[in-house]
Amino acid sequence: MAFFSSTATVPQNLTFVSSNKLSFSPSSTTSFNFVSFPSFQSKFCKTITSSPQITRAHAPPTPSTETTTASSFHGLCYVVGDNIDTDQIIPAEHLTLVPSKPDEYQKLGSFALIGLPDSYTVRFVESGETKTKYSIIIGGANFGCGSSREHAPVALGASGAAAVVAESYARIFFRNSVATGEVYPLESETRLCEECRTGDVVTVELAENRLINHTTGKEYQLKPIGDAGPVIEAGGIFAYARKTGMIPTR
Amino acid sequence: MASSLVPSPSTSFFHTTKKDLNLSSFSSSSQRCHKHASRKIYCSVAAPQQTQRTPSTTGSVKTAMTMTEKIMARASEKQQVRPGDNIWTNVDILMTHDVCGPGSIGIFKKEFGEDAKVWDREKVVIIPDHYIFTSDERANRNVDILRDFCNEQDIKYFYDIKDLSNFKANPDYKGVCHIALAQEGHCRPGEVLLGTDSHTCTAGAFGQFATGIGNTDAGFVLGAGKLLLKVPPTLRFVMDGEMPDYLLAKDLILQIIGEITVAGATYKSMEFVGSTVESLNMEERMTLCNMVVEAGGKNGVIPPDSVTYKYLEGKTSVPYESVYSDQQARFLSGYRFDVTKLEPLVAKPHSPDNRALARECKDVKINRVYIGSCTGGKTEDFMAAAKVFLASGGKKVKVPTFLVPATQKVWMDVYSLPVPGSGGKTCSQIFEEAGCDTPASPSCGACLGGPKDTYARMNEPQVCVSTTNRNFPGRMGHREGEIYLASPYTAAASALTGYVTDPREFLQ
């Protein structure tokens, strides 16, 4: 697992919409070496442990649970099909949990993808666990369709997933993923949900728009992030708005 | 005249597939459409070859815009916008409820400061409606969070509820947010309405840009009063013909979703026009726009007209200005339906686009019927259900039939308005005689399952015909529950037989 040393620099105007995940403050002395996309990287980087309070606690001591270098995600993948709607990602009965409250945020993570039908014999989060061992979710078409509930990308992120690679997304889910920084929403060129299987070890190379399945030895092209790029690069909608002068800096 | 779409530099929205070109795009379920000489608007993928002239070489030529483009242009203080543009859009109304409000408030305070004030205390409308009549402590706490925020911010429109044992004891409480927004006059032509709920698109029935957003975006709007939005291209749906008396708007939208699939309108606007649309009342128009999101749509719009203005009379004192698509506006593609050829539909489990004729499902035994939600729990929806019970000549329902009026006002209408042709009976009387459950306290109810003690929640794997909007696995509670989405006519007919039933069994 790769960890960031506490010597790189955090841009001053960086803000995080879900700071439960990464508790940086501008005055902190923590810093990183970023290879590319410095701002969003802090948002999406899952193994930043320079701040002692943050522990990327993956309870099961499986090998290579998850690593993040400056521009990639690595770990086990979990494969789902088409039209995975928000009720399957986080059933409505759990929506009383408020994502902006840290303890309820963690609880949401434990319920991630619990709504999947029983045909999914391998659960995303094992019963009794609060975190997942899968860093990357591979989906089919129209991932995240249904409700606008931001609890959906939040639950995935809180569970420990780093990225979703889907054939296509429903718009509100995509938007919420970008806004929260909870999971990085990537699009594949082909139907990876038919090429990969749950448990395969994969790496996503962001700069090269590429997914490597180490278990099968195959590589796949991903689509560039598109219009959401500047917002992700800035660090989310708030950071982007401050950067472009739309709202005052703090 | 068929306007053509000049390929824009980023042709990312030019992704309708070849099959949109063939006549199936223009057909109703059972007939092939012929190209009419006066056909107006359609263009799909194969724009004719023409020399590309980049915008800069044509000077400041003003391009015609669709209704959605015009609303967004005005809201972003631009003369002109094009599909694909990302623009900072001023927001006229922001709505939130008990499920997403607390999270949005949390983000607002974290980003703008604990003492920050909302951008406009009259433009934030806070409507508890989802998990209200439950003993779930967190759900009740969430309404308290909303109340504290509204007190602190002096929010003008907060439809509060405190006494859960008797909804009528709460004078401010309304119920389902999208219906409350309309009934309280917060929906106005030409405006931008954002809400932390996917069915915010319902308000497009009023000729405004209305779409759902998440907590983070809402937290941003609370402080800034604007949001970065991408201008969607528009799909145009023309519906003509006199509405048969066994069809409702729900059938029309199920037809459309079945046609274009649950991702057919992703990132797109859906515009509904035609003589049939013009003949619909406001609540039926709301039903049409409500399920735009089930096709993946960003927003739906219906051009305002005298029906709109009549509905708005006395509801709002805020001036508004309608906009309409230009004659030469460019649409991504068009669909035309002759509604006289359509039949009552259902969406079978487990997808809103799993379209089937109701009559072809007549062997499907059901366990329950649910009539409620923003989609099918309005006054007109209950009137429609009552009409079927009445037409059956006093038959009783064969399965538990749950009725959940969307708002206090709907509940009162159900108990007070006479049903035409009944000799002065109210919906509630007709429902009682038919053996339905007593109409429940108004809220979103079991449409989305909710806490385990929610009225009419599906806690066992059962088969339900429902006037709600989604039927993905587990939607109403139990993961193996089977939900058939249908119109109030079809739901009532099914209740009477205990099977999925075409309402013509009773209405003709």
Side-chain angles (χ1 to χ4, degrees):
Chain A
M1 284 213 277
F3 291 84
F4 282 96
S5 70
S6 52
T7 52
T9 326
V10 173
Q12 256 335 81
N13 62 351
L14 201 56
T15 50
F16 297 89
V17 276
S18 56
S19 63
N20 302 307
K21 213 177 225 342
L22 305 153
S23 55
F24 290 101
S25 59
S27 57
S28 143
T29 54
T30 58
S31 47
F32 302 86
N33 279 318
F34 292 110
V35 173
S36 62
F37 307 115
S39 309
F40 83 65
Q41 184 44 51
S42 336
K43 216 185 235 319
F44 291 101
C45 176
K46 298 291 179 142
T47 56
I48 298 171
T49 55
S50 50
S51 169
Q53 303 97 287
I54 303 170
T55 42
R56 290 301 307 168
H58 285 272
T62 49
S64 66
T65 311
E66 176 196 17
T67 51
T68 312
T69 58
S71 59
S72 67
F73 303 113
H74 176 82
L76 302 179
C77 73
Y78 186 88
V79 182
V80 293
D82 296 320
N83 300 318
I84 300 299
D85 77 295
T86 45
D87 277 293
Q88 292 179 73
I89 297 173
I90 183 76
E93 66 196 271
H94 303 300
L95 298 184
T96 51
L97 296 163
V98 175
S100 54
K101 291 181 182 295
D103 55 328
E104 295 183 21
Y105 170 87
Q106 296 297 337
K107 280 207 182 74
L108 275 172
S110 67
F111 295 122
L113 287 169
I114 205 168
L116 287 175
D118 289 338
S119 48
Y120 286 87
T121 48
V122 178
R123 312 285 347 164
F124 184 68
V125 178
E126 305 280 347
S127 76
E129 297 291 336
T130 51
K131 297 284 179 198
T132 181
K133 57 185 191 190
Y134 305 96
S135 335
I136 292 154
I137 297 165
I138 293 183
N142 206 21
F143 188 88
C145 59
S147 165
S148 67
R149 64 191 70 157
E150 200 164 273
H151 305 68
V154 165
L156 295 180
S159 74
V164 181
V165 181
E167 195 189 337
S168 63
Y169 292 91
R171 74 158 269 273
I172 309 180
F173 178 88
F174 182 88
R175 214 193 146 86
N176 287 346
S177 299
V178 170
T180 55
E182 289 288 336
V183 281
Y184 198 111
L186 292 152
E187 270 183 278
S188 55
E189 294 277 1
T190 53
R191 282 180 69 74
L192 291 193
C193 55
E194 285 169 15
E195 301 271 333
C196 303
R197 299 182 60 179
T198 296
D200 287 354
V201 178
V202 304
T203 300
V204 173
E205 305 265 354
L206 287 167
E208 285 142 58
N209 294 314
R210 190 166 61 142
L211 182 144
I212 305 161
N213 184 328
H214 299 288
T215 305
T216 61
K218 290 190 179 162
E219 286 187 18
Y220 304 91
Q221 194 64 30
L222 301 177
K223 291 186 184 168
I225 191 67
D227 285 353
V231 176
I232 296 179
E233 258 179 78
I237 185 72
F238 282 95
Y240 180 79
R242 291 194 175 97
K243 185 171 160 183
T244 55
M246 275 320 239
I247 61 176
T249 49
R250 300 186 68 182
Chain B
M1 118 229 111
S3 71
S4 60
L5 202 59
V6 175
S8 63
S10 69
T11 53
S12 54
F13 67 92
F14 232 126
H15 63 279
T16 45
T17 58
K18 216 165 182 310
K19 75 172 166 69
D20 286 326
L21 270 184
N22 64 37
L23 294 176
S24 65
S25 303
F26 300 94
S27 65
S28 61
S29 56
S30 57
Q31 77 156 13
R32 290 176 71 77
C33 159
H34 57 278
K35 290 188 182 186
H36 202 276
S38 66
R39 188 168 62 95
K40 290 195 200 123
I41 353 107
Y42 311 102
C43 162
S44 253
V45 174
Q49 283 297 335
Q50 52 190 291
T51 39
Q52 278 269 63
R53 289 195 304 166
T54 56
S56 59
T57 66
T58 61
S60 59
V61 173
K62 195 154 182 262
T63 320
M65 291 191 285
T66 65
M67 209 165 135
T68 294
E69 289 157 27
K70 276 190 179 174
I71 296 170
M72 295 184 79
R74 197 164 72 182
S76 59
E77 293 162 38
K78 290 183 184 330
Q79 288 278 60
Q80 173 93 54
V81 298
R82 285 193 174 80
D85 288 350
N86 285 284
I87 52 173
W88 286 103
T89 312
N90 294 326
V91 178
D92 292 292
I93 296 279
L94 174 73
M95 182 280 295
T96 190
H97 49 51
D98 54 302
V99 166
C100 296
S104 306
I105 291 166
I107 289 167
F108 166 71
K109 285 181 175 283
K110 186 164 65 69
E111 293 293 339
F112 289 102
E114 279 298 320
D115 299 326
K117 293 292 176 210
V118 301
W119 100 97
D120 190 323
R121 59 170 283 278
E122 296 195 13
K123 292 186 176 175
V124 179
V125 184
I126 301 194
I127 314 181
D129 64 349
H130 273 56
Y131 303 155
I132 305 300
F133 304 103
T134 171
S135 58
D136 186 300
E137 277 179 19
R138 260 202 313 259
N140 298 331
R141 172 211 61 180
N142 289 344
V143 179
D144 293 341
I145 292 175
L146 296 183
R147 184 178 312 110
D148 291 343
F149 184 72
C150 289
N151 287 337
E152 165 204 306
Q153 300 279 335
D154 193 24
I155 296 292
K156 186 168 178 186
Y157 302 108
F158 172 48
Y159 300 128
D160 195 5
I161 180 163
K162 287 179 178 144
D163 184 350
L164 304 183
S165 64
N166 176 14
F167 70 89
K168 283 177 256 168
N170 302 276
D172 293 334
Y173 180 69
K174 306 293 171 205
V176 174
C177 57
H178 308 301
I179 312 309
L181 281 172
Q183 290 178 335
E184 297 306 309
H186 296 300
C187 301
R188 286 174 290 266
E191 290 196 358
V192 171
L193 187 157
L194 302 181
T196 58
D197 193 275
S198 60
H199 293 109
T200 307
C201 50
T202 305
F206 290 85
Q208 63 178 143
F209 178 86
T211 193
I213 58 176
N215 298 358
T216 302
D217 281 337
F220 185 91
V221 176
L222 278 171
K226 58 179 83 178
L227 193 63
L228 188 65
L229 292 171
K230 185 151 135 177
V231 179
T234 300
L235 301 176
R236 199 173 225 215
F237 297 88
V238 185
M239 284 170 279
D240 284 319
E242 193 183 324
M243 192 76 157
D245 59 12
Y246 45 82
L247 286 188
L248 290 169
K250 180 68 172 278
D251 297 295
L252 301 183
I253 191 65
L254 285 180
Q255 170 74 13
I256 290 171
I257 297 169
E259 195 69 33
I260 69 176
T261 82
V262 286
T266 302
Y267 277 101
K268 297 167 192 145
S269 177
M270 294 173 71
E271 188 173 314
F272 303 104
V273 295
S275 60
T276 315
V277 177
E278 287 162 31
S279 75
L280 298 176
N281 59 48
M282 280 316 295
E283 292 201 340
E284 283 279 87
R285 295 179 185 194
M286 287 163 67
T287 303
L288 205 55
C289 290
N290 173 279
M291 288 183 73
V292 153
V293 66
E294 268 60 76
K298 185 160 183 155
N299 72 303
V301 278
I302 293 178
D305 58 13
S306 55
V307 172
T308 323
Y309 304 136
K310 184 106 197 357
Y311 182 94
L312 286 171
E313 260 172 44
K315 286 195 174 68
T316 182
S317 54
V318 176
Y320 55 83
E321 194 189 319
S322 305
V323 295
Y324 301 90
S325 290
D326 290 329
Q327 185 75 351
Q328 310 270 359
R330 294 153 172 183
F331 296 89
L332 192 59
S333 51
Y335 299 80
R336 183 182 281 282
F337 298 96
D338 174 356
V339 304
T340 63
K341 304 288 192 297
L342 300 183
E343 299 183 67
L345 296 172
V346 293
K348 298 188 294 186
H350 299 273
S351 178
D353 66 4
N354 196 3
R355 180 183 65 182
L357 294 173
R359 62 175 165 80
E360 286 179 349
C361 299
K362 62 178 168 48
D363 295 328
V364 175
K365 195 166 198 303
I366 66 176
N367 305 116
R368 48 165 58 201
V369 167
Y370 185 94
I371 301 178
S373 82
C374 51
T375 315
K378 306 182 285 299
T379 302
E380 291 296 326
D381 300 311
F382 287 106
M383 283 287 185
K387 188 170 156 191
V388 170
F389 290 130
L390 200 61
S392 78
K395 283 199 170 53
K396 293 210 182 297
V397 296
K398 297 238 173 26
V399 293
T401 302
F402 304 105
L403 312 170
V404 185
T407 63
Q408 283 228 41
K409 184 172 190 318
V410 173
W411 188 97
M412 295 205 301
D413 287 347
V414 163
Y415 273 90
S416 61
L417 294 182
V419 177
S422 70
K425 287 185 188 169
T426 62
C427 286
S428 57
Q429 286 172 306
I430 293 170
F431 292 147
E432 192 180 1
E433 284 168 15
C436 301
D437 269 38
T438 308
S441 303
S443 78
C444 297
C447 170
L448 71 161
K452 292 257 168 36
D453 65 346
T454 302
Y455 175 76
R457 186 182 195 275
M458 212 193 302
N459 293 322
E460 317 260 306
Q462 291 190 319
V463 182
C464 178
V465 173
S466 175
T467 64
T468 55
N469 42 62
R470 288 202 275 265
N471 58 350
F472 295 115
R475 174 69 180 170
M476 291 184 88
H478 199 283
R479 264 217 310 261
E480 276 126 59
E482 294 189 8
I483 301 160
Y484 287 75
L485 303 176
S487 79
Y489 282 162
T490 305
S494 305
L496 289 171
T497 63
Y499 291 80
V500 174
T501 302
D502 187 309
R504 285 174 290 186
E505 295 292 315
F506 299 100
L507 292 176
Q508 284 186 332

